[in-house]
Amino acid sequence: MTTTTPPTLAIPGQLLGPASRYQPGPGTHLHESNLHASLVGQVHITQPARALGPAKRLTKITPAPAPAELPTLSVTPATQLASAPSREKKKREVLPEVGNVVLCRVIRITPRQAVVAILVCGDTVLEAEWQGLIRVQDVRATEKDRVKIYESFRPGDVVRAEVISLGDQTNYYLSTTRNELGVISAVSEAGNTMVPVSWKELMDPKSGLMELRKVAQPQ
Amino acid sequence: MNDRRRINGPAGATLAPFFDDAAPQDLDTRSTRSRPPNATRKLLLKTGVTPSASGSAYLEIETSAKPGLSGLKLSCSVHGPRALPKSAPFSPHIVLSTHVKYAPFATQQRRGYLRDSSERDLGIHLETALRGAIIADRWPKSGVDIIVSIIEGDQDRETSKLQGDEVWDMMNTLSGCITVAAAALADAGIDCVDTVAGGVAALVQDADDGSAPSIAVDPIPSEHKRILAACCVAYLPTRDEVTNLWFRGDLPASDLDLYTSLVGHGIQASKNANRVLIDCLSGTVG
Amino acid sequence: MSNDRPLVLPGETIDLSLIPSHPKNPLRLGPGLRHIPPSDIVPTAAGELITNPVKNSMWVEYNSNRYIPSQNDIILAQILRSTSDFYLCSLAPHTPPATLPHLAFEGATKKTRPVLLPGQLVYARVSLANAHMDPELECVHASTGKADGLGPITGTGCIFDVSLGFARRLLMARPAQDGGLAVLEMLGGEEGGGMAFETAVGRNGRVWVGSASARTVVVVGRALQETDRGRLGVEGQRRLVKKLVREMS
Amino acid sequence: MTATTTPEATFGVLPRADGSARYSHAGYTVTGSVNGPIEAQRREEHAYEAHVDVVVRPAAGHGGTRERHLESVLQSSLAQIILVKSFPRSLIQIVLQVENSPENDYVNTKLVQASLNFGIMPALMQTAVLALLSAGVPMRATATGTAVAIMHQDGAKQTMVDPSPRDIEKARSVHVLAFTSQDELLLAESEGDFTVKEWDLVYETARGICCRSRPQAKEGMAMLLDDESTGGPDMRQFLRSTMESKVAADLHWK
Amino acid sequence: MAGPTISLPAPIFAKISPHPFLVRSLTRSTAADHPPCRANGRATQELRPVRFNATSLSHAHGSALVRLGDTTVLCGVRGELLPVERIPQFRPVDKEELRQQGENNNGNCGDAIGRGELRDYDLLVPNIELATGSAPQFLPGVPPTTLAQTLSTRVYSLLHSTGLVQAGDLKIWYSPKEQRRGEDVEMGGTGDKEDGDEEERPVAYWVLYIDLLFVSFDGNPFDVAWAAVVAALRDTRLPVARWDPDREVVVCSKTERRRLNVRGLPVACSAAVFMEKEQSEAGAGPREGGHWLLLDPDRLEETLCKEVITMVVDCSDDETRIKSLEKQGGTLLGRELIRGYAGIAERRWKEVRTAME
């Protein structure tokens, strides 16, 4: 077993270090009690104190969570590095996970639910569009039984929501119950960008007409 | 039968040009292998050729000195991970789908637009080769498309008469597909346990004098009198695992170790390809 | 064609003199017109521009076959299936189903709600219609809680498709005078030998004809459809009724 | 030209459809049917507007890549005059069946494929507009279109309206233009060999045919098409008088 | 989305509301020193440079690889033989007609014959393949999409209307006299009597399969595809072929190759109209708000624009000739703008010519 320090650059399969000294982070995997890279990129050692960024479902990699005090090894693709020029900067795809706050656009509404396309997860712009559902009972915390989808969302609205479940084969389940969640930008029936006036109303500045929404409290 | 979605050629089928001064002695003056039997041809590999894709790569096998002998040219693009089609059932891991297609002008015989059996075979072999390398459970409910376009097949333009060569060409093509796809997957940032690469070894007979056949890696059919058998190996170097093995032809029953050593040579070839792959990938970082 | 009801085509500019200007009532735009802020009113269909200075309303009168739900329309819907808390019903072929809540009937509660089977007809009002959602129906007045004639259609009868314009004429207060439509009165009157039947007309171009005698249902239905398709005037309608009665007996 | 020089149209030729029209002009006869707004299939459903689906069926044989191209040209133009945003997620389907066309589509007993068919484009466009009007599909405007060719006869240039397939064969350049009822240029397709000056000439000619401002005096009554001035029919007047008689028939009871 | 989204980082803003994002980048300059531009960093009138890369495809008779920004197309031209006896209802065109054609070749009517042959016998077969993983929206293994079919049709149509290739170049003649001279000896000269009157006749045609493979797709497919077709045809060398009367087949020379003579250099130049205000029914028509003519639109811009224009020009002669004009999907491009567009197309033509030579 080598006790040398991990390399700075890694190629998939490359040995990074023993599991006894590091715990696996994004871009790595465990094989025969050793950490190997699973991506091309730069190797980072994160000391346990600092929490790591968008966790890549560690549970799937380590059957039993490794002792907390171990530093975490991760591999970050070159394209994702800050150093890369913004033009080429192509974020590596991530998946929405329970607890993530996502930005999505409303595609379709029914009395039961709003169907949305998830566009941004955390601070990562997604390449693919993942479909999500905001069910009528997950729109707001109070007076759940009085909620009407049509008075909360309209197709085209941009909504900030939280992932509450992996959902079914096609949809992630989302919630907007918290105050800071809900519609962050919407266009009126007349086609003008509206401004929030209350937690449940937006106004078309041109026509002065009000429209009902579950409005996100500005952060 | 007219394809209504394409522009069709003349109703009466057209003929590939028939060469008059195609000297019959062609068979004899066929090029003989200049490389040592355990040497592979020079491989050129480049990632990021398709910016609009999640990941992509281009592979070219250097054309040998002899003119008219075309080297393999492959372009591969990876799309995903992305949402599965609505119809698809729930999948706890990523769903791999591979497509291999010859360009119409890639080979001696003009290729049709619809995928034929050999293209489907290549696709299936490629899929199994890659499935063993990808860490699939990191991407639940998602799919990835891996598309390889064969811009030029590994084939000698002149040797139209040599039938059966197709099969051996496919071996080289597949090993190229595996290597180029591995590069594209890494470029797309899809987690893999290792870098998989392809390699081919063949049992060839070069002399007519009944002498024992020899093993050559990365064979070019036109450089050998006869190819008795060949295998294409997809191999993970750091794990020392074979994810896919494709064997064609028949071996003399006399020598039982022949098969093992053939595969062994295939792995050797794969390791050579892997070096190129690693250099290429290392170049993209730092 | 008289000039107080001029022909308009989509996108044409409407002569301002034609736009009613009532001191108090706000201007109400009916079908076939759209308002482009600030002050343009533009036709969206080809038809006659009708204005009503008293009601201060205007619309484009034209005939068509495709029903587009609009709030407070009275329609004939057919139950497709039932979900946990509402029925899905069809208003017209090839359109997304409308929802009819189980409790949107007079005096309906979780226990007493009417149980309707697929294929059954309901006479209902469009309670919600907008571009973003499938329409919603009700068989009870939200305010009064009364059905006023709405609800499941009972009794033996049959449903007939007619053009939307024809349905609108049937729904007029005085079809004979305003709509030039006397065929039903005739069938009930001496021309028809006093047939006994009832009808329910939906704005979605559907007419239900009910009668104890199946034959009567057929005759009335045919009478309506042929009056519609044949664009018959009152005289034509009389002749048609006579003919049908003759054939029947 | 052997074929009719004045356009003709009849409505309601397909009673099952929401709207339909048969239109004949310059040797082309096209029957169009319109259905919609109806429920769209998921894959062709647009979240924020109606999907306009145009199907062109040739007089002989099956449609090929040429029809797909015609369809996409018509689709992008018609979607401009239909109020698509009013019917999100729905489908407006327009089927255009070519009944007969002056040219014989078969050469060497096989279909001539792919090359654009300029002659037929105006007829298809006009039929679609008429069928949409008869279906009462809400629209932003109406549209009129025409085909113009530039011929070179012994050195002299001359424009020709509604050229026959033979003329098109000989023409130096062929053009199809369509205008909205607000006199905006909606569609312009040209092929051959021409200069900006020549195109200008074509534009003028086409505009004269498509956008003749309608005489206020005769306002109201259906009239014969005046065919003299620019050597082409007055398409807008044709559209208006045609609709006039249709509406009058529909509202006979008034 | 003026209000809230401003606070968001640019890439996120671009993703959740691309239209307003493009409007903003076109209206507000990011820095004092450079004016507002498109989201891709280009000025509205700025075209991506076009690059022609030499390719050698050993199984094709001609090929070209053309790059326009991130759009890359590979074109392979391949000739196959079509013997006249395989053509149903073949009607030979005699030398006389051709001579006429030759004379008034610049005149239009003469070409008609050749054009007829090209079309009637389907001698030019262009097809475009997008489903190569060139972009996420093109799914692999599916039949050609409407876009692919439309592109193929436009290329096919332009190939014929421009007369880029002439039927004469694709025709293979058999002239008994010339070929027999050598043989006279053993034939004892009697041959002349028997078939001396045998006329020179066409025996076969070359059919050109022109296949376009999109390696990478980032908008403006037609301009690139057409440029690739022209370049590949100019690169095409067909084997010299002759009729062998004994074997009754057309035989090709392995060594001798003849270059196809390609007439003119038509160049396509496309643009899309971007509206400041997304058309909404309740709101006003397209006239409200500003608009921009985005030359050589990329993939994102194409999704945000409805009205498009393509003009194909050839400035080989002193006077600029327009070979094709396609404007559709909107009402903004009127007479004046289209007139002015010819100038832009000329500019593009010059760029492409220099890039090609």
Side-chain angles (χ1 to χ4, degrees), chain A residues 35-47:
Chain A
L35 265 68
H36 294 261
S38 58
L39 294 174
V40 185
Q42 295 195 347
V43 181
H44 294 276
I45 304 173
T46 325
Q47 294 310 323

Side-chain angles (χ1 to χ4, degrees), chain A:
Chain A
M1 169 47 58
T2 59
T3 54
T4 55
T5 54
T8 54
L9 301 180
I11 301 292
Q14 189 169 347
L15 176 70
L16 300 177
S20 53
R21 296 178 50 227
Y22 305 99
Q23 53 175 321
T28 70
H29 68 283
L30 265 182
H31 179 57
E32 286 161 358
S33 71
N34 277 317
L35 265 68
H36 294 261
S38 58
L39 294 174
V40 185
Q42 295 195 347
V43 181
H44 294 276
I45 304 173
T46 325
Q47 294 310 323
R50 276 175 268 111
L52 25 103
K56 292 230 49 53
R57 56 185 74 251
L58 300 174
T59 52
K60 280 250 167 61
I61 305 160
T62 57
E69 67 274 7
L70 289 182
T72 306
L73 272 184
S74 58
V75 177
T76 328
T79 49
Q80 221 166 326
L81 297 175
S83 63
S86 61
R87 189 78 177 73
E88 281 78 56
K89 199 168 195 171
K90 188 176 71 191
K91 289 242 172 181
R92 174 166 163 274
E93 194 69 354
V94 301
L95 288 185
E97 298 188 20
V98 174
N100 288 163
V101 169
V102 298
L103 296 179
C104 46
R105 189 183 295 112
V106 179
I107 296 172
R108 185 183 301 113
I109 55 174
T110 73
R112 290 268 190 72
Q113 65 202 22
V115 182
V116 302
I118 302 172
L119 308 173
V120 177
C121 180
D123 60 354
T124 314
V125 174
L126 302 175
E127 289 295 315
E129 282 196 358
W130 306 90
Q131 189 166 300
L133 278 187
I134 306 172
R135 295 167 300 178
V136 69
Q137 64 267 36
D138 299 324
V139 172
R140 65 168 188 243
T142 56
E143 307 179 290
K144 283 173 180 275
D145 48 351
R146 302 267 304 281
V147 176
K148 281 200 160 51
I149 289 286
Y150 184 64
E151 296 169 355
S152 311
F153 308 111
R154 299 276 176 91
D157 292 357
V158 176
V159 176
R160 185 189 296 121
E162 181 183 2
V163 181
I164 55 173
S165 133
L166 228 64
D168 54 28
Q169 71 273 24
T170 43
N171 300 299
Y172 288 86
Y173 286 2
L174 311 177
S175 152
T176 56
T177 48
R178 301 211 317 263
N179 287 347
E180 68 273 24
L181 303 177
V183 176
I184 62 168
S185 124
V187 174
S188 69
E189 290 296 316
N192 305 313
T193 303
M194 297 192 286
V195 293
V197 285
S198 79
W199 67 275
K200 60 175 188 179
E201 272 182 316
L202 295 171
M203 188 180 72
D204 177 338
K206 287 224 177 68
S207 66
L209 295 172
M210 296 288 185
E211 287 187 22
L212 291 171
R213 294 289 198 281
K214 197 308 185 173
V215 183
Q217 186 184 76
Q219 287 171 314

Side-chain angles (χ1 to χ4, degrees), chain B residues 3-23 26 46 49-54 60 63 68-71 73 75-79 82 97 99 101-111 113-115 145-158 161, chain E residues 56-61 67 70 72 74-83 86 88 121-129 131-144 148-149 152-153 156 206-207 209-213 215-218 239 242 244 247 249-255 257 299:
Chain B
D3 180 343
R4 275 186 230 145
R5 299 195 188 82
R6 291 191 174 82
I7 292 171
N8 298 287
T14 54
L15 315 161
F18 167 75
F19 290 104
D20 167 31
D21 40 25
D26 198 24
K46 185 164 168 289
V49 291
T50 306
S52 41
S54 317
E60 186 171 331
T63 315
L69 184 62
S70 77
K73 291 189 183 70
S75 153
C76 173
S77 63
V78 170
H79 292 284
R82 56 182 175 187
S97 61
H99 307 260
K101 185 82 193 76
Y102 281 92
F105 45 74
T107 52
Q108 186 78 52
Q109 291 302 320
R110 186 166 181 279
R111 291 280 175 165
Y113 293 110
L114 307 173
R115 273 200 290 173
D145 290 296
I146 298 154
I147 306 118
V148 180
S149 307
I150 304 170
I151 292 164
E152 190 145 284
D154 201 359
Q155 191 183 54
D156 190 332
R157 188 206 297 149
E158 315 299 352
K161 297 155 222 66
Chain E
S56 63
L57 298 179
S58 34
H59 298 299
H61 294 118
R67 283 208 172 80
D70 285 348
T72 310
L74 176 65
C75 178
V77 176
R78 182 152 159 156
E80 292 206 344
L81 290 162
L82 175 66
R86 286 204 181 189
Y121 308 150
D122 296 314
L123 302 183
L124 304 174
V125 192
N127 274 295
I128 284 174
E129 188 57 83
T132 57
S134 57
Q137 68 266 38
F138 306 136
L139 299 173
V142 300
Q149 296 184 51
S152 301
T153 309
Y156 178 99
W206 282 106
V207 172
Y209 292 93
I210 303 166
D211 283 291
L212 289 144
L213 222 66
V215 178
S216 176
F217 182 95
D218 188 24
R242 58 172 185 80
D244 181 332
R247 279 185 288 180
V249 287
V250 175
V251 290
C252 302
S253 153
K254 221 178 209 174
T255 48
R257 289 179 159 231
R299 195 158 110 250

Side-chain angles (χ1 to χ4, degrees), chain B residues 33 37 201-207 211-217 219-221 223-230 262:
Chain B
R33 187 180 176 111
L203 184 68
V204 298
Q205 184 115 48
D206 282 331
S211 63
S214 60
I215 292 180
V217 303
I220 302 172
E223 286 183 346
H224 303 282
K225 207 153 225 83
R226 267 182 74 225
I227 295 185
L228 306 168
L262 193 60

Side-chain angles (χ1 to χ4, degrees), chain E residues 222-268:
Chain E
F222 183 75
D223 290 10
V224 194
W226 178 251
V229 168
V230 174
L233 286 172
R234 289 167 134 235
D235 175 62
T236 299
R237 309 267 186 289
L238 289 172
V240 173
R242 58 172 185 80
W243 174 255
D244 181 332
D246 312 329
R247 279 185 288 180
E248 294 207 315
V249 287
V250 175
V251 290
C252 302
S253 153
K254 221 178 209 174
T255 48
E256 272 184 285
R257 289 179 159 231
R258 212 180 67 263
R259 116 196 316 270
L260 203 62
N261 82 72
V262 177
R263 191 199 297 169
L265 177 57
V267 170

Side-chain angles (χ1 to χ4, degrees), chain C residues 63-80:
Chain C
N63 196 5
S64 62
N65 297 332
R66 174 60 51 183
Y67 175 68
I68 298 167
S70 121
Q71 199 143 10
N72 296 326
D73 280 0
I74 302 295
I75 50 83
L76 262 176
Q78 188 161 33
I79 305 289
L80 296 171

Side-chain angles (χ1 to χ4, degrees), chain D residues 18 53 97 134 137 202 205 216:
Chain D
D18 291 345
D53 179 35
Q97 170 70 58
S134 91
V137 173
V202 168
T205 319
Q216 291 303 325

Side-chain angles (χ1 to χ4, degrees), chain D residues 158-248:
Chain D
Q158 65 182 73
T159 59
M160 175 187 265
V161 177
D162 303 320
S164 74
R166 287 281 146 275
D167 303 325
I168 290 175
E169 273 292 304
K170 288 199 244 77
R172 179 59 73 89
S173 65
V174 194
H175 313 257
V176 171
L177 290 88
F179 296 81
T180 67
S181 44
Q182 282 97 13
D183 297 4
E184 303 158 315
L185 181 61
L186 178 64
L187 173 71
E189 301 266 307
S190 307
E191 197 175 72
D193 178 70
F194 57 101
T195 63
V196 178
K197 254 196 218 63
E198 289 173 335
W199 186 78
D200 245 16
L201 192 67
V202 168
Y203 181 91
E204 275 309 317
T205 319
R207 202 171 187 288
I209 289 161
C210 297
C211 309
R212 222 170 293 169
S213 56
R214 64 169 197 271
Q216 291 303 325
K218 302 190 215 156
E219 157 78 289
M221 69 202 71
M223 66 185 71
L224 290 164
L225 301 162
D226 50 351
D227 205 357
E228 80 294 333
S229 50
T230 52
D234 178 343
M235 288 311 291
R236 188 170 291 171
Q237 180 51 42
F238 158 75
L239 193 67
R240 190 171 175 76
S241 50
T242 318
M243 287 320 293
E244 212 148 37
S245 33
K246 179 196 188 289
V247 169

